[in-house]
Amino acid sequence: MLIVPEAEIAGLVTAEDAFRAVEGSFAAMARGEAYNFPVIREALGEGRQYGFKSGLDRAGAVMGVKAGGYFPGNMARGMINHQSSVFLFDPETGRPTAMVGGNLLTALRTAAASAISIDRLARKDAKVLGMVGAGHQATFQLRAAAKVRGFEKVIAWNYHPDMLPKLGEVAAELGLPFEAVPLERMVEADVIVTITSSPAASLMDAHVSAGTHLACMGTDTVGKQEVEPALLARARVFTDEVAQSVSIGEAQHAVAGGLIRAEDITPIGAVIAGLAEGRQSDDQITLFDGTGVGLQDLAVASAAVRLAREKGVAREVAV
Ligand code: NAD
């Protein structure tokens, strides 16, 4: 069994590696070659959450689980609050094959999903990127989005405005002008990424112009919400996995309110695999509900294992 510790991931897996791995796993899901097992998520008390995301990709011969969660006391201990590890198994024998640090991989695979949606669904001439959110994930989201379109400007809003300068620094690194704006100015954006832990809608239908692509990435649990449900009714809605989208994703609210149905939501993998249409016109709003699936984690962890082997940095232990 190989161990690829968290500390090695940054030197091994690039945003491009994550993009390719996640795109492949979304397409495998759409072709019926890969599927996610039901998610387990438990509240441990005092704000701590722990759970398991798992799945099987028959074509890629990948099976495994990401175990992890949110531990709000970690910051005070000098660690990040989100902690996770990925375990891979041989799908033929069930033998463990690898344990891979999952913290950076989670950010990379989440940003990759969002970037894949922008690449496939945003207008080619998109120039203004709107960011709603400025936390840990937001910086990865901004970097990944900037790779797939020729953005000329970033506008951003955050519930806690003091967090925005850090996002501005990433925009500066990318050579992009950055402006903190009120939510009403999101009408100027061609692409909007939402990545917050908000319990209620921040971005309203009236804040979004025709032709915009939205990647709604923050809502991954019952009770979280980033955008007004009317926006999903106005948009063509895509997701990583429909079952998660309607239960723990952004679409949970629009579905519960009877504004859209599960059948109205298209898996992004179907677009990648050429089985479904993406954007149908320049003035259509497209919305990707990124809920985060286990197969994304397994795909990037497998890439990390392959790269660790190639570079000779994986640690082998007998099991
Ligand atoms: P973080 O704690 O670093 O940042 C939280 C963000 O949410 C900040 O921008 C903060 O200002 C904002 N926020 C907090 N309370 C808010 C409120 N009441 N209203 C509006 N905004 C509020 O967290 P992070 O690691 O950047 O994660 C952001 C979200 O993304 C979380 O909900 C997390 O669970 C989710 N996430 C989703 C996936 C996925 O695959 N879809 C993967 C990782 C994280």
Side-chain angles (χ1 to χ4, degrees):
M1 173 182 179
L2 288 185
I3 296 182
V4 188
E6 183 66 44
E8 299 286 359
I9 302 294
L12 287 173
V13 184
T14 63
E16 287 80 5
D17 295 325
F19 186 100
R20 275 192 298 275
V22 173
E23 196 170 49
S25 88
F26 284 163
M29 282 164 62
R31 288 192 297 262
E33 294 163 358
Y35 66 105
N36 296 289
F37 305 156
V39 175
I40 293 172
R41 205 167 165 90
E42 291 289 320
L44 305 182
E46 294 147 6
R48 288 170 302 151
Q49 296 209 328
Y50 187 61
F52 308 95
K53 283 188 170 177
S54 54
L56 168 66
D57 180 345
R58 286 184 203 284
V62 177
M63 182 171 77
V65 57
K66 178 169 86 169
Y70 185 72
F71 300 84
N74 283 7
M75 276 297 200
R77 299 185 175 107
M79 306 175 219
I80 63 167
N81 292 345
H82 287 275
Q83 290 291 330
S84 62
S85 308
V86 184
F87 298 85
L88 298 176
F89 301 86
D90 179 342
E92 291 304 317
T93 63
R95 295 264 299 169
T97 55
M99 178 185 147
V100 186
N103 296 350
L104 177 57
L105 286 181
T106 297
L108 289 172
R109 64 79 144 146
T110 306
S114 168
I116 288 164
S117 84
I118 296 168
D119 186 42
R120 296 281 171 174
L121 301 171
R123 293 192 332 268
K124 297 277 183 246
D125 65 350
K127 294 281 180 275
V128 179
L129 173 63
M131 294 293 305
V132 174
H136 180 69
Q137 305 293 333
T139 55
F140 291 90
Q141 294 281 326
L142 173 51
R143 285 182 204 282
K147 286 184 192 291
V148 291
R149 283 295 181 273
F151 292 114
E152 294 176 354
K153 182 178 181 179
V154 179
I155 57 175
W157 177 88
N158 195 44
Y159 185 73
H160 302 102
D162 52 309
M163 295 169 82
L164 283 167
K166 207 170 146 235
L167 195 61
E169 283 169 25
V170 175
E173 261 178 53
L174 297 167
L176 290 169
F178 180 87
E179 191 182 356
V181 297
L183 277 167
E184 291 71 21
R185 290 241 343 248
M186 283 292 153
V187 290
E188 295 168 27
D190 302 305
V191 171
I192 302 174
V193 175
T194 64
I195 183 75
T196 69
S197 51
S198 177
S202 309
L203 190 74
M204 297 296 157
D205 191 28
H207 299 152
V208 178
S209 296
T212 302
H213 171 67
L214 294 108
C216 298
M217 305 303 298
T219 298
D220 55 359
T221 308
V222 171
K224 286 190 194 172
Q225 184 176 19
E226 300 195 286
V227 308
E228 189 178 16
L231 195 47
L232 282 90
R234 188 155 68 112
R236 190 158 140 74
V237 181
F238 299 82
T239 189
D240 40 26
E241 189 184 90
V242 175
Q244 286 195 191
S245 172
V246 301
S247 57
I248 59 170
E250 195 59 42
Q252 64 182 287
H253 308 287
V255 170
L259 294 177
I260 64 166
R261 301 162 307 158
E263 305 86 271
D264 300 326
I265 305 175
T266 305
I268 188 97
V271 179
I272 298 165
L275 304 170
E277 253 188 304
R279 166 174 293 279
Q280 292 162 323
S281 70
D282 274 357
D283 60 1
Q284 185 169 56
I285 293 177
T286 50
L287 186 151
F288 175 67
D289 182 7
T291 65
V293 294
L295 284 167
Q296 272 172 270
D297 297 304
L298 306 187
V300 288
S302 295
V305 167
R306 177 177 48 78
L307 292 161
R309 276 212 175 93
E310 281 171 22
K311 296 192 177 169
V313 298
R315 296 174 202 169
E316 185 94 42
V317 292
V319 284

